[in-house]
Amino acid sequence: MANLSPSNFFHFIIVFMDLCFLAYSVTHWEDTQALKQFRNGVVNTSVNPGSCLSTWDFTVDPCDSLSTEKFTCGIRCDVVISGISRITELTLDRAGYSGSLDSSSWNLPYLQTLDLTNNFFTGSIPGSFSRLTRLQRLSLSINSLNESIPDSLPDSLEELLLDNNKLQGPVPKTLNRLKTLKRLELQGNQLSGEFPELSQLSSLYFLDVSNNAISGYLPATFPVNLIELAMRNNSLQGNIPANLINNSVYLQVLDLSYNNLTDSLPPELFTHPSLQQITLAYNRFRWIQTPVDWGRNSELIAVDLSNNDIRGSLPGFMGWMPNLSALSLENNKFSGVIPTQYALKAVMQNGLGGVGPFERLLLGGNYLFGLIPGPFLQLKSGSGVMIRLGDNCLYECPASFYFCGGGVQKSLMECKTFTPVIP
Ligand SMILES: *[C@@H]1O[C@H](CO)[C@@H](O)[C@H](O)[C@H]1NC(C)=O
Ligand SMILES: *[C@@H]1O[C@H](CO)[C@@H](O)[C@H](O)[C@H]1NC(C)=O
Ligand SMILES: *[C@@H]1O[C@H](CO)[C@@H](O)[C@H](O)[C@H]1NC(C)=O
Ligand SMILES: *[C@@H]1O[C@H](CO)[C@@H](O)[C@H](O)[C@H]1NC(C)=O
Ligand SMILES: *[C@@H]1O[C@H](CO)[C@@H](O)[C@H](O)[C@H]1NC(C)=O
Ligand SMILES: *[C@@H]1O[C@H](CO)[C@@H](O)[C@H](O)[C@H]1NC(C)=O
């Protein structure tokens, strides 16, 4: 109390009076009505004895009964205006409830958090959610919602988590209106159509739409402050536009694996100032463009380009990337010899001239030929470096060398058919 300024003190008095009111304040009738309607949409047989909803008893006032054996959980009331409480939070996570959300009018104008994660709700995401004009966090993750995402959602949202349902239809263009959105999770649904331009979402830092059926090309731009982007396992086609990478300057994690992307990997991926992890496995990329600075300024730590259709010699510049520690180029069509720099980067576990070591180097399933670079021969199986050179065209790579694991070398005939220059 000693250092309370007058304005703090005034604030303290208000909070204190509100707390006193809370002890006997009644819930706004509109909120009570909305709770009743929500409760009516929940299937009774899914409300197990002892579960949160089983304590809801509308013969008493919800907000006034929070510390009794009724309404023991699920709601939070902390806006009190002249003795009338407003509900700010409805959270019924992992409770096993089923039913429909549509039967409620969602007249809860003070609600900030609605979290029904991990239940069995089916049907649609009600359009009446748009009445929740103070809602910041909406999580309906892990339910069985199976209609499309409504065009209208509260503009106040900061987190929208609709992942792991059965939502269909497109990702609505109108999500671009949710200008305060920071986190958007739509992964694990059946969303289809093209992914919309969300250029107005300048607060969005996390976007996951993996495991859907999104098709068409990547949008021309992504939200400018994105840090993590995952669109894994969709049906995206076309290339990765260089602009797209350049414009998202804060991007650290990019996962576009399991799509149908093709053409070349833009050099911007390897000159980007923040990218740490790129996962582009299981696409149809065909070649890698070497960046002018050889990736010397790259922050990349992990690069997975496995299971594509990439040809040519191994990208030598990746042996010089300072922070690159895990590289997978497995199951492509690389040929030529293994750069000595790769071997040195794997062997020199204390780093070498500002270039940190490889901890994982997966090169199996290509058409690499020639001798195993000398430095590899120093490596013992307990060295902690994971290396796979199997299933290539190397001159001698017996299984007695642990790094030759991952399959026996291809037959000379297969190798010569692919690349006649093999000696
Ligand atoms: C479900 O339970 C509520 C509260 O216990 C009760 O009022 C309502 O009649 C029940 N509905 C059905 C369909 O049994
Ligand atoms: C969603 O599921 C409900 C209940 O299982 C079903 O009646 C409805 O037809 C489904 N809607 C769609 C669009 O599949
Ligand atoms: C891709 O998503 C589908 C369903 O959307 C799932 O069944 C499949 O296992 C996923 N594949 C991968 C490789 O993640
Ligand atoms: C990928 O593209 C090819 C050629 O355009 C097409 O035949 C194939 O069906 C596509 N695969 C997927 C999963 O979209
Ligand atoms: C991306 O940025 C780099 C470095 O600022 C620049 O050299 C390159 O031309 C840019 N690429 C595109 C496609 O704008
Ligand atoms: C990359 O390596 C440099 C020098 O070792 C280090 O200062 C920097 O923090 C590393 N970047 C990341 C993203 O780990």
Side-chain angles (χ1 to χ4, degrees), residues 274-276 298-301 322-323 354:
S274 326
L275 264 178
Q276 293 177 13
S298 169
E299 293 276 299
L300 280 168
I301 296 167
N323 300 38

Side-chain angles (χ1 to χ4, degrees), residues 335-354:
S335 59
V337 300
I338 299 174
T340 307
Q341 178 61 19
Y342 277 26
L344 288 173
K345 195 169 153 78
V347 172
M348 308 292 271
Q349 283 296 300
N350 293 322
L352 179 68

Side-chain angles (χ1 to χ4, degrees), residues 391-405:
D391 189 24
N392 273 295
C393 299
L394 294 166
Y395 176 60
E396 271 200 329
C397 204
S400 56
F401 293 142
Y402 87 94
F403 46 81
C404 288

Side-chain angles (χ1 to χ4, degrees), residues 130-344:
S130 61
R131 294 183 191 159
L132 305 174
T133 54
R134 287 182 175 84
L135 197 67
Q136 289 170 3
R137 180 165 198 275
L138 174 59
S139 175
L140 304 173
S141 305
I142 323 179
N143 276 283
S144 300
L145 300 167
N146 62 339
E147 312 259 336
S148 51
I149 301 175
D151 276 333
S152 182
L153 285 162
D155 290 346
S156 49
L157 280 174
E158 292 180 3
E159 282 185 41
L160 178 57
L161 314 182
L162 305 177
D163 56 284
N164 295 297
N165 278 282
K166 295 171 181 160
L167 296 167
Q168 314 177 354
V171 176
K173 290 189 176 66
T174 50
L175 289 183
N176 206 16
R177 290 192 208 138
L178 309 181
K179 289 187 188 141
T180 52
L181 205 60
K182 293 179 179 161
R183 197 174 175 96
L184 177 58
E185 297 197 35
L186 303 173
Q187 69 273 21
N189 282 291
Q190 290 149 24
L191 299 167
S192 57
E194 289 197 15
F195 193 79
E197 194 97 8
L198 298 178
S199 52
Q200 291 193 50
L201 304 191
S202 56
S203 301
L204 197 74
Y205 70 88
F206 186 97
L207 170 59
D208 193 347
V209 279
S210 300
N211 303 324
N212 278 289
I214 305 290
S215 59
Y217 299 103
L218 287 165
T221 56
F222 279 118
V224 65
N225 290 316
L226 216 50
I227 292 176
E228 201 163 332
L229 170 65
M231 299 183 83
R232 176 190 173 90
N233 194 16
N234 280 285
S235 297
L236 295 167
Q237 53 170 308
N239 61 6
I240 301 181
N243 272 331
L244 186 66
I245 301 301
N246 258 21
N247 292 343
S248 302
V249 282
Y250 302 108
L251 198 62
Q252 291 179 5
V253 178
L254 175 66
D255 185 350
L256 298 173
S257 57
Y258 295 90
N259 276 289
N260 216 353
L261 297 166
T262 186
D263 290 348
S264 69
L265 293 165
E268 279 73 10
L269 286 169
F270 308 104
T271 55
H272 192 280
S274 326
L275 264 178
Q276 293 177 13
Q277 196 179 322
I278 53 177
T279 310
L280 301 171
Y282 291 93
N283 278 285
R284 296 187 297 126
F285 290 112
R286 298 168 66 88
W287 68 94
I288 297 174
Q289 288 178 263
T290 302
V292 279
D293 69 354
W294 272 50
R296 295 284 187 125
N297 300 310
S298 169
E299 293 276 299
L300 280 168
I301 296 167
V303 171
D304 183 356
L305 305 178
S306 64
N307 297 283
N308 277 286
D309 202 21
I310 310 175
R311 288 151 200 268
S313 46
L314 290 173
F317 72 90
M318 289 191 187
W320 296 98
M321 282 170 46
N323 300 38
L324 188 62
S325 144
L327 174 62
S328 177
L329 300 173
E330 282 193 306
N331 304 321
N332 277 288
K333 297 206 170 67
F334 288 110
S335 59
V337 300
I338 299 174
T340 307
Q341 178 61 19
Y342 277 26
L344 288 173

